[in-house]
Amino acid sequence: MTTTDDDLCFRTALDLSRLLRTRELSARELLEAHLARIERVNPAVNAIVTLVADRAREAAERADERTAAGGAHLPLMSGTRGPVIAKHPWPFGHT
């Protein structure tokens, strides 16, 4: 896919879902775009205190493996089992 990391970070969820479903973009590529933006922007805004990039990369790899195996494309997730960005520390630990 020929796009910049920032372009991906500002696309709609519907657009990203289509790109993932049609395999124009992998979950790993999408994650890396967001991690790169966090690395560039976070020092100035201090929005991310705890970043679990390794776990996110593992989850992206699993998603890409499911897609490659013809598995169902899961909807974008949020909450304790998906990506979470919270202003305050999460009191329940990492699940």
Side-chain angles (χ1 to χ4, degrees):
M1 164 153 238
T2 57
T3 189
T4 67
D5 289 347
D6 280 343
D7 288 341
L8 289 175
C9 294
F10 289 100
R11 290 190 180 210
T12 67
L14 288 174
D15 191 26
L16 292 173
S17 180
R18 180 189 58 77
L19 292 171
L20 291 167
R21 189 174 49 256
T22 60
R23 299 183 188 180
E24 295 176 59
L25 178 69
S26 71
R28 181 66 184 251
E29 291 168 324
L30 179 58
L31 172 66
E32 292 301 332
H34 281 84
L35 291 175
R37 179 152 177 85
I38 289 168
E39 186 175 321
R40 282 191 314 277
V41 174
N42 196 56
V45 298
N46 196 30
I48 311 275
V49 176
T50 303
L51 181 64
V52 287
D54 292 338
R55 286 183 48 196
R57 285 184 177 106
E58 291 170 6
E61 289 296 327
R62 287 191 304 273
D64 287 337
E65 288 169 3
R66 272 193 316 270
T67 300
H73 176 73
L74 299 176
L76 296 175
M77 300 181 305
S78 64
T80 59
R81 296 285 178 207
V84 174
I85 295 181
K87 181 178 177 185
H88 301 287
W90 190 251
F92 305 108
H94 301 291
T95 59

